[in-house]
Amino acid sequence: MTYVITQNCCKDASCVSACPVDCIRPSATDGSPGTQMLFIDPETCIDCGACADECPVDAVYSEFDLPEGMERFLDINAEYFRHNPLEPAMIMPMTRPPAVDRGALRVAIVGAGPAACYAAAELLGVDGVEVELFERLPTPFGLIRAGVAPDHQRTKSVVKIFEGAFGNARFGCYLNVEIGQAITHADLLANHHAVIYAVGASSSRDLGIPGDRLAGHHAAADFVGWYNGHPDHAAREFELSGRRAVIIGNGNVALDVARMLLLDTDALTGTDIAEHALAALAGSEIEEVVILGRRGPRDGAFSLGEFHALGHLPGIDVVIDGGDTESRPDDDVETRLKLDIAREFAERTPTPGNKRIVFRFDSSPTEFVGEDGVTGLRVARTGTDESTVIETSLVLRSIGYRGSAVTGLPYDEATGTVPHENGKVIGADGAPVPGVYVTGWIKRGPRGVIGTNRGCAEETVAQLIADFDRGALHREVGDRAALRGLLAERGVDAVDWKGWRAIDAAERKRGAEVTRPRVKFIDIEEMVTTARG
C-alpha cells in the first residue's frame, strides 16, 4: 500500500522531512525541475502515514481512502517517478543556529501573509530572538484568508502550523498598523536590529488595449477580494446579469474565479465566502465562463491538480477550444498530464442544461467593445488574421500581479520587486542596505504556491542570522516597552494576537449559527471592536 499526495498539496514540504524512507519528491536539493505539487513514490513508500500526519492541509491519503474524484492522483504520483526515478537526495543535517541573548536580536516583519508567517516561525525557532509582526489590517494571514478560494477550506488550514509559534512569549503582534503612516520605516529600524518586508504583490498588471477603462472590466484580484470579504474590496459591484463572463489569463486564480461564478449556491453556502458575495452570486445569470489563454494548453499557467478538479464539478462541463493537446518528448511530467486531461475534456460530450467553462487557447484580447460599458471582447487567434467578438458584459483580467514600491526601499520598476541578494536588500549603489530584508512575492515576484514561501523565508532568515553572527546587526535599539510607548504616543490602535483570536472566535461562532465554517467581518471598525471584547 502507498500514500498519495492529491490536489490540495501546498508544497510546504513538511512531509518531505517526515518521510523515514525519503520517497517524496521533488525535494529542494535534488535538482528536479520546479513543480506545483509534491509526489510520493509508490514503490518505496512503506505505508507508515508519517506524511499524512505532518501535512498541514490534509492533502495526503492512503490509496484506499482517496476521496471521490481524486483516484487519478494514485497514477499521477506513480507517473512522476516513472519519468524521475527515485535517487537518494543529499540530506543536510538539521541544525538550528545557537541561542542568542534575549533582546540581542529583535526583528520586525512587515506583512502577515504566508511569507511573513513562515519567516516569523523560522526566526522564533532560534531561542532568544524576538519577533514583532506588523499588518495594516486587523486580521493576519494575507492571501490565505483573502486569496484562497472559499471552496478550498483545507488549503486555508495551513495556518494551523503557525499557531504554536505565535503563542510564543517572544512574539509580538501589531495588527491594524500600517507602516508608512503613524509608524515609519525609520521607526522600525530604531526599535529593531533588522526589518523583513513581506508585503506581497497586490497590484494587478494592466492589459493596455483599447477600451480597457470601460465599466464591466475589472482585475480578477478585485473579484477575489470581493468574494473573500477583503475590506478593500467588499463594496465593489460586478455585472452578473449577463449569460457569459470572460477571464483573460489561465492561471489558478482564473480557475478559482470561474468556479465561483458557476458553482451552485448550495455548494458555496458551505464555505466562508463573504455574505454579500453569496447573495449576489445566488442571483447571477452567468451560465458560461470563457477562459482565454494566449498560448496553448502546454503553456497553461494552471496547476495540474486544479485543472484536473474542474472535471469533477457537478453540473459544469469543461470545453477545450483550440490549442495543441499532443505531448512532445521533451514535455515534463506535469505538462504531459495536463495535456492528457485536456484531451479527455475535449473528447467529452457536453450535457444539455449544464453550465460551461470554455478554455479558449491560442487567443489574445485586442479590444474591448462597448460605449458606456463592456458589451464584448475582440479576440485574435494566434498566428492567424482571424478576429472575433465574444459577447459579454463582464471581463476579468487575471494576467499576474506586481509589487508596489515600499517607502525607504529601492525598487525595480521592471520586475515589481525589491532588489536583493538571497533576501538581503541591495541599494542603488550595489551595496547591502543594513538590516533590511525581503521575502515572498516582493522578493521573488508572484510565483509559486503557499508552501513556496517556506523555502523563500528560510533563505532570507538564514541570510539575516549570518549577518547577525558576523556582527553586522549589533547596535542599540529600543526594546518592546519602547515600541509600545511609541505606538501609544502616535495614537496607533493596534490589535494584538489575543485580539485576532477574539475576531476569529466571533467569526466561527457566527458561522456555526448558519452551518458555515465562519462568517467574516468585512468592516474594519467592527473587527477592532470585536478584538476589544
Side-chain angles (χ1 to χ4, degrees):
M1 191 178 95
T2 183
Y3 275 77
V4 183
I5 298 177
T6 64
Q7 171 196 342
N8 213 41
C9 179
C10 70
K11 210 175 177 182
D12 167 89
S14 297
C15 58
V16 174
S17 58
C19 179
V21 293
D22 187 32
C23 72
I24 303 177
R25 293 289 186 277
S27 70
T29 59
D30 66 2
S32 300
T35 65
Q36 290 192 300
M37 64 177 290
L38 300 173
F39 307 92
I40 295 174
D41 180 14
E43 298 299 324
T44 309
C45 176
I46 59 171
D47 185 25
C48 69
C51 53
D53 292 339
E54 195 69 25
C55 179
V57 294
D58 298 328
V60 186
Y61 296 87
S62 156
E63 65 175 301
F64 299 117
D65 295 324
L66 284 166
E68 184 178 357
M70 293 193 185
E71 298 88 350
R72 185 175 190 152
F73 281 94
L74 178 59
D75 292 331
I76 288 173
N77 278 248
E79 181 72 6
Y80 177 84
F81 289 97
R82 278 194 284 271
H83 293 272
N84 299 277
L86 187 67
E87 296 180 359
M90 183 181 296
I91 301 176
M92 302 301 293
M94 296 288 289
T95 59
R96 281 286 182 190
V100 304
D101 293 336
R102 184 73 177 264
L105 180 56
R106 287 172 41 75
V107 182
I109 300 177
V110 181
C117 292
Y118 277 117
E122 185 73 8
L123 282 164
L124 289 165
V126 182
D127 193 26
V129 175
E130 294 182 350
V131 176
E132 285 162 334
L133 192 78
F134 297 83
E135 162 63 42
R136 71 178 184 89
L137 293 177
T139 55
F141 304 135
L143 287 180
I144 299 176
R145 176 180 171 90
V148 174
D151 62 336
H152 283 7
Q153 289 297 304
R154 286 188 174 180
T155 302
K156 293 174 185 257
S157 67
V158 70
V159 301
K160 66 189 179 185
I161 67 176
F162 306 123
E163 291 176 356
F166 294 171
N168 193 310
R170 293 182 283 113
F171 176 73
C173 185
Y174 299 90
L175 307 174
N176 200 41
V177 178
E178 184 169 5
I179 303 304
Q181 299 299 317
I183 300 297
T184 66
H185 173 65
D187 293 326
L188 293 180
L189 285 174
N191 289 275
H192 302 87
H193 299 95
V195 181
I196 299 176
Y197 282 87
V199 294
S202 58
S203 299
S204 179
R205 296 184 182 276
D206 292 325
L207 278 169
I209 62 175
D212 63 359
R213 302 299 176 189
L214 283 172
H217 168 224
H218 309 267
D222 295 341
F223 189 73
V224 170
W226 172 75
Y227 65 59
N228 271 319
H230 192 294
D232 291 351
H233 303 284
R236 294 182 182 273
E237 295 183 357
F238 298 90
E239 178 56 62
L240 302 174
S241 62
R243 189 182 70 84
R244 178 187 293 118
V246 177
I247 304 172
I248 302 170
N250 59 15
N252 284 346
V253 171
L255 273 56
D256 287 347
V257 169
R259 292 198 316 278
M260 292 302 103
L261 285 167
L262 295 179
L263 279 174
D264 184 85
T265 304
D266 290 342
L268 293 176
T269 300
T271 74
D272 65 349
I273 188 172
E275 288 192 298
H276 59 263
L278 181 61
L281 290 169
S284 171
E285 299 293 329
I286 294 174
E287 299 175 352
E288 177 179 285
V289 176
V290 177
I291 299 177
L292 294 183
R294 183 165 53 90
R295 293 174 290 186
R298 169 175 288 96
D299 300 301
F302 46 77
S303 69
L304 169 64
E306 294 300 315
F307 190 47
H308 168 268
L310 294 181
H312 297 274
L313 297 176
I316 299 174
D317 289 330
V318 181
V319 178
I320 304 298
D321 180 0
D324 179 13
T325 60
E326 294 303 317
S327 299
R328 299 171 183 167
D330 59 343
D331 286 333
D332 60 39
V333 172
E334 283 188 303
T335 299
R336 188 178 297 107
L337 289 167
K338 285 181 186 179
L339 293 170
D340 289 347
I341 293 169
R343 286 196 303 275
E344 292 171 14
F345 287 157
E347 293 167 0
R348 291 184 182 180
T349 301
T351 302
N354 271 7
K355 296 179 180 180
R356 306 187 343 147
I357 296 175
V358 180
F359 283 88
R360 186 162 176 171
F361 292 107
D362 294 332
S363 299
S364 299
T366 59
E367 178 187 14
F368 287 90
V369 178
E371 295 183 4
D372 298 327
V374 173
T375 59
L377 181 68
R378 187 174 297 281
V379 174
R381 282 287 192 185
T382 303
T384 73
D385 295 328
E386 179 185 342
S387 175
T388 57
V389 174
I390 303 174
E391 293 184 2
T392 181
S393 56
L394 176 63
V395 179
L396 301 168
R397 70 182 186 279
S398 182
I399 56 174
Y401 298 84
R402 57 182 287 111
S404 301
V406 178
T407 302
L409 271 62
Y411 179 69
D412 185 336
E413 184 67 40
T415 62
T417 60
V418 172
H420 69 93
E421 287 183 3
N422 300 323
K424 182 191 299 187
V425 173
I426 302 299
D429 60 357
V433 179
V436 184
Y437 305 82
V438 285
T439 190
W441 280 3
I442 196 63
K443 170 187 172 184
R444 67 181 191 275
R447 303 188 308 276
V449 292
I450 288 173
T452 310
N453 291 290
R454 180 177 180 174
C456 183
E458 287 174 351
E459 177 187 63
T460 295
V461 170
Q463 184 70 266
L464 188 156
I465 295 295
D467 287 346
F468 173 78
D469 288 343
R470 66 183 180 84
L473 303 180
H474 294 183
R475 57 190 176 85
E476 292 296 322
V477 299
D479 59 12
R480 186 162 288 177
L483 176 65
R484 292 195 185 109
L486 177 65
L487 292 169
E489 178 186 322
R490 302 276 177 86
V492 177
D493 191 16
V495 172
D496 61 13
W497 194 250
K498 182 179 179 181
W500 153 243
R501 296 296 295 270
I503 295 171
D504 181 46
E507 288 184 342
R508 291 179 183 276
K509 182 174 183 295
R510 294 183 349 154
E513 292 169 353
V514 290
T515 321
R516 299 181 60 195
R518 70 172 68 234
V519 173
K520 293 178 179 176
F521 295 108
I522 60 172
D523 179 75
I524 288 179
E525 185 175 341
E526 191 174 17
M527 293 178 192
V528 174
T529 299
T530 303
R532 299 285 176 260

